[in-house]
Amino acid sequence: MTSTPLHTPELHAHAGFRRILHSPAIGLFFLSPLIAEFFLGDFPIVLLPLIVPLSLWYGGCALGIREIVRRRHLGWPSILLLAAAFAVVEEGVLTMSLFNPDYAHLHLLASGYIPALGIGVPWTAFVLTLHIGWSIATPIALAESTQGTRADEPWLRRRGVVCTAVATVVGAVIVFASNYPAYGHFLASPAQVGTCLIIAAILVAVALLGPSAVSRRSAHGERDERSPRRPPHRGCCSR
């Protein structure tokens, strides 16, 4: 006699929780702030609980950038360009460290200061490069390296995309709200903020619509016509 397994709400919840824990999307969501803020030494390990609010902005952006690129069949140039847009928005619009002469009392703009732009060239180059490499590119590369054939596939279903977008917006608000009182209530000028937003928009446009992006999508479309479709991978938070 064969027994029929019981399908209780508890069993379904347990199975769903296990799928979430094994989701590469969840891993990337928390890996980005872990590398950007803790592995690089900005926060001591005793403040690890801060990874939860930090992941809303860092993880949301890293996961969102990867999902956009993989859904549109783009490549690493697009990831790096979107990462650059992320860096400009964070440091120019949210924390405003690019323009704050006394940010964290470190006098970051003292070296290589350009009065017309209100920035210090060494700090600008350093912090933007840091975010591109360590906040976005490295976490994505590490997360994808564990996924084998799924490395180039989208990981989120529609609900995951919506949750990621909401988390990113909430995270942006938290970053600004926590930095503004902590670093002298400094506000960049409207022209400086507007310039950063324009630069970020140009980077996004080039990443998604530039010649490299168009040629890569065309090549992927030709491969799709020649190869059979695979059934989508099913999971709780991932495809």
Side-chain angles (χ1 to χ4, degrees):
M1 181 176 179
T2 304
S3 61
T4 302
L6 296 176
H7 296 283
T8 65
E10 291 79 7
L11 287 176
H12 282 296
H14 181 66
F17 186 66
R18 288 184 61 186
R19 284 195 293 269
I20 290 174
L21 289 180
H22 287 87
S23 166
I26 297 297
L28 176 57
F29 188 75
F30 290 105
L31 184 61
S32 177
L34 185 65
I35 292 176
E37 296 292 353
F38 291 92
F39 286 1
L40 296 184
D42 286 348
F43 289 103
I45 199 66
V46 295
L47 296 180
L48 189 59
L50 287 178
I51 197 173
V52 176
L54 288 170
S55 66
L56 297 176
W57 172 246
Y58 283 94
C61 286
L63 187 55
I65 287 171
R66 187 207 170 273
E67 193 69 14
I68 290 170
V69 169
R70 296 314 180 200
R71 282 175 179 262
R72 295 174 68 90
H73 309 299
L74 304 176
W76 274 97
S78 294
I79 289 177
L80 296 177
L81 285 167
L82 292 175
F86 159 86
V88 170
V89 170
E90 172 160 350
E91 299 298 335
V93 179
L94 299 181
T95 70
M96 303 187 186
S97 77
L98 296 184
F99 310 110
N100 188 345
D102 197 32
Y103 188 82
H105 305 294
L106 295 176
H107 307 291
L108 299 172
L109 309 187
S111 176
Y113 183 69
I114 302 178
L117 300 178
I119 63 172
V121 173
W123 169 246
T124 299
F126 170 78
V127 75
L128 296 186
T129 303
L130 181 147
H131 279 306
I132 293 170
W134 294 107
S135 299
I136 304 296
T138 298
I140 291 176
L142 290 175
E144 289 189 342
S145 70
T146 67
Q147 294 304 302
T149 58
R150 293 193 62 209
D152 294 334
E153 298 178 3
W155 290 344
L156 299 177
R157 296 185 294 186
R158 181 173 298 178
R159 181 172 59 182
V161 171
V162 172
C163 290
T164 300
V166 172
T168 302
V169 173
V170 174
V173 172
I174 292 174
V175 170
F176 176 80
S178 59
N179 274 263
Y180 176 64
Y183 298 113
H185 296 85
F186 174 86
L187 287 176
S189 70
Q192 289 171 327
V193 173
T195 299
C196 287
L197 292 175
I198 291 171
I199 292 173
I202 292 172
L203 289 168
V204 171
V206 174
L208 302 183
L209 304 173
S212 175
V214 172
S215 62
R216 187 175 177 92
R217 283 201 304 273
S218 300
H220 189 277
E222 293 174 359
R223 289 198 301 270
D224 280 350
E225 292 176 359
R226 296 194 298 265
S227 60
R229 289 184 175 272
R230 289 186 298 172
H233 177 88
R234 297 297 179 187
C236 178
C237 295
S238 306
R239 282 179 169 266

